[in-house]
């Protein structure tokens, strides 16, 4: 049996994204088969399209890390989902297809107030943000934080989680004044447009009376290494989950002294290559702690723009041009209201 899917003709630019057919996935034990209604884009999709981020062994070669849809084949062991249930969740790959398999313990029941578009915008960004904030940074109410790429899918989730969890100060770096205003509306207390002010350290020193922030959440990498270390307070924790500016620190003044002097902790992680049990635990903790807050409106999936599957090239182009504030979402092959 085959299905329609967005495929990569060969690694490279957006012209290599084509609509074709692929084998319909067959769910294994502990998996459900979902007819995809909507999926969301991630920076990782762009890297995978270019051949720079292969899926972990065993995961689908088809692009796409998150989707929402309807269960068409239930799991024979895990009875939580039945045919016809609306679900959304995180997958190791395959969300750009007409159908997609997902481990039952990594899927969420879709609350009735969410649309397919908004639900597909949650899993990767919010679980990445949650992983950074809690298992990795051990964030405490009263902490002050610095979030880089703050208007990204992950950044917009992190701002909201920091706010509901009691961050006192939320600094965010962004690349335009429009994005600066946008993150302030979401809950950032101080926005820094790095295109007009490269020195976020001065802003942090000024506002915190040189104490620094408890946590830095970094997605930019090399170019911010020095300022990040200097921005942290005593016993500060920095989480690195991306390196949009590169991973090789070329700054010859790079200095590790603050790590010792301020007893800093630096951790990094990806979500995609974590094992199923880890991801299932993250999904379960996130659901208990935060899913209700989406219903009450305290947390909001931030959907910037919705494209049709036939506009996938334009959607990748939009993301790569850094135009999005929040998530770029695609109506899948089987989209319906
Ligand atoms: N480790 C993990 O498990 C994991 C999981 C998901 C995502 N991530 C990482 O999280 C980050 C955000 O992902 P996303 O999908 O949410 O991103 P996104 O929505 O595509 O947004 C990325 C934003 O980063 C900013 N940016 C791009 N290049 C930059 C540079 N050289 N210097 C400074 N800022 C730059 C741009 O905004 P401006 O206009 O503000 O510059 C861009 O819009 C990425 O680094 C991604 O790889 C990590």
């Amino acid at each position: 049996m085959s299905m329609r899917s967005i495929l990569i003709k060969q690694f490279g630019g957006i012209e290599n994204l084509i609509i074709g057919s692929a084998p319909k996935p067959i769910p294994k034990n502990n998996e459900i088969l979902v007819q995809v209604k909507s999926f969301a884009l991630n920076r990782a999709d762009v890297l995978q399209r270019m051949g720079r981020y292969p899926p972990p062994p065993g995961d689908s070669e088809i692009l796409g890390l998150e989707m929402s849809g309807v269960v068409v084949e239930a799991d024979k062991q895990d009875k939580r989902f039945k045919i016809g249930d609306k679900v959304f969740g995180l997958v190791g790959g395959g969300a750009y297809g007409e159908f997609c398999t997902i481990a039952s313990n990594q899927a969420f029941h879709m609350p009735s107030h969410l649309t397919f578009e908004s639900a597909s915008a949650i899993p990767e960004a919010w679980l990445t943000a949650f992983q950074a904030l809690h298992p990795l940074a051990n964030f405490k109410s009263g902490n002050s934080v610095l979030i880089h790429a703050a208007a990204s899918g992950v950044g917009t989730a992190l701002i909201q989680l920091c706010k509901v969890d009691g961050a006192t100060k939320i600094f965010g770096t962004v690349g335009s004044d429009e994005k600066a205003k946008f993150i302030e509306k979401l809950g950032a207390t101080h926005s820094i447009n790095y295109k007009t002010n490269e020195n976020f350290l001065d802003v942090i020193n000024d506002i915190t009376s040189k104490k620094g922030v408890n946590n830095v959440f970094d997605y930019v990498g090399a170019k911010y290494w020095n300022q990040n270390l200097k921005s942290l307070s005593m016993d500060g924790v920095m989480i690195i989950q991306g390196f949009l500016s590169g991973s090789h620190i070329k700054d010859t003044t790079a200095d590790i002294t603050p790590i010792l002097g301020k007893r800093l902790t630096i951790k990094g992680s990806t979500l995609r290559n974590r094992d199923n049990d880890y991801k299932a635990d993250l999904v379960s903790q996130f659901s208990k702690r935060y899913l209700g807050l989406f219903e009450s409106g305290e947390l909001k999936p931030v959907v910037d723009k919705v494209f049709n599957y036939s506009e996938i090239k334009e959607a990748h182009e939009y993301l790569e041009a850094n135009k999005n504030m929040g998530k770029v979402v695609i109506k899948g092959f089987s989209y319906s209201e």
Side-chain angles (χ1 to χ4, degrees), residues 30-334:
N30 301 312
E31 287 183 345
I32 51 178
L33 183 67
V34 176
Q35 184 179 36
V36 176
K37 298 287 183 182
S38 180
F39 60 89
L41 301 194
N42 284 283
R43 216 70 187 180
D45 303 355
V46 172
L47 295 177
Q48 187 171 338
R49 191 200 72 216
M50 290 172 168
R52 288 164 45 198
Y53 193 37
D59 281 325
S60 172
E61 295 281 332
I62 293 173
L63 292 174
L65 300 177
E66 55 191 341
M67 54 84 211
S68 61
V70 175
V71 177
V72 289
E73 236 180 282
D75 180 343
K76 290 180 187 66
Q77 273 128 38
D78 186 331
K79 303 286 182 201
R80 274 178 303 164
F81 298 99
K82 57 181 193 315
I83 291 173
D85 281 352
K86 289 179 177 179
V87 294
F88 66 104
L90 187 69
V91 291
Y96 283 30
E98 189 176 358
F99 296 92
C100 178
T101 54
I102 178 168
S104 306
N105 58 12
Q106 283 169 44
F108 298 89
H109 279 287
M110 199 173 113
S112 56
H113 67 280
L114 290 179
T115 60
F116 284 121
E117 291 99 311
S118 55
S120 69
I122 294 176
E124 179 75 12
W126 287 82
L127 289 169
T128 299
F130 172 61
Q131 183 194 26
L133 200 61
H134 288 296
L136 296 177
N138 197 19
F139 174 89
K140 297 273 180 295
S141 174
N143 278 12
S144 51
V145 303
L146 165 65
I147 300 169
H148 291 304
S152 66
V154 175
T156 52
L158 203 38
I159 290 170
Q160 294 182 69
L161 291 181
C162 286
K163 189 178 169 193
V164 295
D165 282 353
T168 48
K169 293 183 182 68
I170 304 174
F171 296 87
T173 64
V174 289
S176 72
D177 288 344
E178 191 191 1
K179 289 188 179 184
K181 281 197 195 101
F182 184 77
I183 64 161
E184 282 175 15
K185 264 198 191 141
L186 273 182
T189 54
H190 302 86
S191 61
I192 302 146
N193 176 353
Y194 68 83
K195 298 239 171 97
T196 51
N197 175 12
E198 282 189 337
N199 199 332
F200 57 82
L201 175 63
D202 278 355
V203 179
I204 289 173
N205 274 339
D206 191 31
I207 305 288
T208 65
S209 310
K210 295 199 172 153
K211 267 177 68 187
V213 289
N214 302 103
N215 302 118
V216 172
F217 298 101
D218 188 30
Y219 304 91
V220 173
K223 80 171 177 185
Y224 285 167
W225 173 259
N226 259 1
Q227 280 196 73
N228 278 342
L229 294 191
K230 288 181 184 162
S231 297
L232 282 159
S233 64
M234 282 299 283
D235 296 306
V237 179
M238 172 157 75
I239 307 301
I240 303 175
Q241 289 177 305
F243 40 84
L244 289 157
S245 74
S247 57
H248 294 279
I249 301 158
K250 296 186 183 110
D251 183 346
T252 49
T253 65
D255 183 7
I256 60 170
T257 313
I259 302 176
L260 284 68
K262 293 195 281 186
R263 302 186 295 265
L264 303 180
T265 304
I266 300 168
K267 294 183 190 175
S269 179
T270 68
L271 185 55
R272 195 179 193 183
N273 71 356
R274 291 287 193 158
D275 66 30
N276 279 345
D277 288 347
Y278 179 93
K279 288 188 209 169
D281 185 48
L282 212 58
V283 166
S284 159
Q285 285 186 49
F286 181 82
S287 300
K288 282 187 205 135
R289 208 160 165 162
Y290 297 112
L291 215 50
L293 299 185
F294 285 95
E295 189 141 18
S296 66
E298 272 177 270
L299 297 177
K300 288 190 183 74
V302 182
V303 176
D304 174 282
K305 200 166 158 106
V306 181
F307 290 85
N308 195 272
Y309 72 84
S310 56
E311 301 168 310
I312 191 67
K313 291 185 180 121
E314 290 85 345
H316 267 232
E317 193 170 45
Y318 185 79
L319 191 87
E320 273 182 89
N322 300 332
K323 288 184 179 160
N324 58 302
M325 295 188 280
K327 297 290 292 186
V328 175
V329 167
I330 313 289
K331 292 177 181 175
F333 292 94
S334 308

